[in-house]
Amino acid sequence: MLYQVLKYLLLGPLLRLVFRPRIEGLEHVPEEGAAIIASNHLSVVDSFVMPAIVPRRVTFLAKAEYFTGPGLKGRLTAAFFRGVGQIPVDRSGGRASQAALSSGLAVLRKGRLLGIYPEGTRSHDGRLYKGRTGVASMAVTAGVPVVPCAMIGTFEAQPTGRRLPRAMRITIRFGAPLDFSRYAGLEDERIALRAVTDEIMYAILTLSGQEYVDTYAGEAKAEAQAQARAQGRRGHGGGKGPAR
């Protein structure tokens, strides 16, 4: 019920008013049956705008932190994400990663649309980063098509660190579904999963026109933060005058 109210009465109309989304290739999203929508990830608003314009319900695997925040804000955030049917995912790796895959497969086995960001986290600089193989594992195991999707303009609307988005026009572009049935039975083969993932990322790259970086987004973000801290320390030290 909350999902329907938000999509058609509250959040959906507001998002269309603020972002005036230009939609391209929506006919590529299957009208029925299970499929994965694999998108680049530039902003918090990605997870709201794209599901708002897709006629069918899209279930995302949301990071577990959205469901465990402290205080009233944390409880409201958790209630919102549960209400719209999002699934909490622990991104710490190991068994947690396997649990996330199982959750995604459960959505697909019900014949639904699963939304996923192969990069694993938001791009901190607007570039497209190397995809993680979870999307490939689910696509091959479930035997479902993958619809590549490109969010264009959402980074400029709300880059990392900006609390409120700018009102501006964005584009959401869908590509033709990718069929990976030729990899059936190879869901445990790392080389096969990497090949599938790279094909998905290339399709997203073609749609988005972003610069591609062959590094995981989380690692690049951590390196950028470390460099910023180091520069801050040097700048702070430099303001004390000459050493004696």
Short mmCIF file of all heavy atoms in Angstrom, two decimals, residues 237-238 240-244:
data_model
loop_
_atom_site.label_atom_id
_atom_site.label_comp_id
_atom_site.label_asym_id
_atom_site.label_seq_id
_atom_site.Cartn_x
_atom_site.Cartn_y
_atom_site.Cartn_z
N GLY A 237 49.79 21.77 8.39
CA GLY A 237 51.16 21.90 8.88
C GLY A 237 51.88 23.07 8.23
O GLY A 237 52.68 23.76 8.85
N GLY A 238 51.53 23.33 6.94
CA GLY A 238 52.18 24.39 6.22
C GLY A 238 51.84 25.78 6.72
O GLY A 238 52.51 26.75 6.45
N LYS A 240 51.86 26.80 9.78
CA LYS A 240 52.47 27.11 11.07
C LYS A 240 53.79 27.87 10.95
O LYS A 240 54.45 28.13 11.93
CB LYS A 240 52.72 25.81 11.84
CG LYS A 240 51.42 25.10 12.24
CD LYS A 240 51.73 23.86 13.04
CE LYS A 240 50.46 23.16 13.50
NZ LYS A 240 50.72 21.94 14.28
N GLY A 241 54.16 28.16 9.73
CA GLY A 241 55.41 28.90 9.57
C GLY A 241 56.60 27.96 9.48
O GLY A 241 56.47 26.73 9.60
N PRO A 242 57.78 28.47 9.26
CA PRO A 242 58.97 27.63 9.07
C PRO A 242 59.33 26.88 10.34
O PRO A 242 59.18 27.38 11.46
CB PRO A 242 60.06 28.65 8.69
CG PRO A 242 59.59 29.94 9.29
CD PRO A 242 58.12 29.91 9.19
N ALA A 243 59.79 25.67 10.14
CA ALA A 243 60.23 24.86 11.29
C ALA A 243 61.50 25.40 11.86
O ALA A 243 62.34 25.97 11.17
CB ALA A 243 60.41 23.40 10.84
N ARG A 244 61.68 25.22 13.16
CA ARG A 244 62.90 25.70 13.81
C ARG A 244 63.78 24.53 14.22
O ARG A 244 63.29 23.48 14.57
CB ARG A 244 62.52 26.51 15.06
CG ARG A 244 61.76 27.78 14.70
CD ARG A 244 61.45 28.59 15.95
NE ARG A 244 60.75 29.81 15.62
CZ ARG A 244 60.36 30.69 16.52
NH1 ARG A 244 60.64 30.49 17.82
NH2 ARG A 244 59.71 31.78 16.17
#
